[in-house]
Amino acid sequence: MAPRIDRTLIEKTGNFTVTTNGYLYLTTVVDAGVVIDLYFMNGTTGIYSQAVGDGTRIIIPPNATSIKVGAHSATSWKLLMQKTIPNKNLSELNMYRDQTGNLFISGDDDVLFRGQDTNLSTLDITGLRLSVQTLSELFMKALWSGTASDAAKYIKMKDAVLAQYPKM
């Protein structure tokens, strides 16, 4: 089973300080054309700052304890923070096998997060063909439906497909 994805969504308006609490990654959500300033802090010491727009992906420095968000008083913003660092896009399935036969799957963080609290033993996938093609189809269904049950079916199939291949 994939490791648990721990995330939080911070939604605020104007200036605010966010504690990092072990989160390693964030994505910004702001209106188009809006820029906010992020000041990464270690206690009271600044580490670095960055002006960001919508959809900016940032790996939070390991020694950062907080992030000061600088925004105009009427500017609303969101930080999607995650304790694991996703490969690229959170909703873009990537699969490949290396020369030794190991299967690598990434880009499914959003679907994994949505279905991770569902009891997989209650789901039946025995009527489905065990293949990466079926896995891809289940991923797309889970992505578009947005339901926890479709996401959990994807997770159960992912576990079954990965069991077929050697793991590193």
Side-chain angles (χ1 to χ4, degrees), residues 1-7 25 57 80 82 84-96 103-117 132 134-144 146-148 150-162:
M1 175 112 188
R4 183 163 182 80
I5 296 176
D6 188 0
R7 22 169 100 150
Y25 163 86
R57 295 171 41 92
L80 172 65
Q82 187 167 307
T84 54
I85 301 172
N87 246 0
K88 289 183 182 177
N89 188 320
L90 300 172
S91 301
E92 184 179 310
L93 187 63
N94 295 295
M95 293 188 277
Y96 74 92
L103 179 64
F104 295 89
I105 301 174
S106 64
D108 55 357
D109 289 46
D110 281 343
V111 171
L112 294 176
F113 179 73
R114 192 174 306 121
Q116 69 186 0
D117 292 329
V132 292
T134 304
L135 183 64
S136 298
E137 291 166 1
L138 288 174
F139 174 80
M140 292 305 295
K141 183 176 181 184
L143 188 64
W144 290 108
T147 66
D150 283 344
K153 284 180 187 174
Y154 166 79
I155 293 169
K156 190 162 185 169
M157 178 62 73
K158 179 180 179 179
D159 290 344
V161 167
L162 287 173

Side-chain angles (χ1 to χ4, degrees), residues 24-66:
L24 303 174
Y25 163 86
L26 69 85
T27 300
T28 57
V29 180
V30 294
D31 290 335
V34 173
V35 175
I36 59 175
D37 295 311
L38 301 181
Y39 302 92
F40 295 89
M41 307 294 290
N42 183 341
T44 58
T45 306
I47 300 171
Y48 80 93
S49 64
Q50 183 174 350
V52 298
D54 186 50
T56 303
R57 295 171 41 92
I58 297 173
I59 296 175
I60 299 170
N63 55 344
T65 56
S66 65

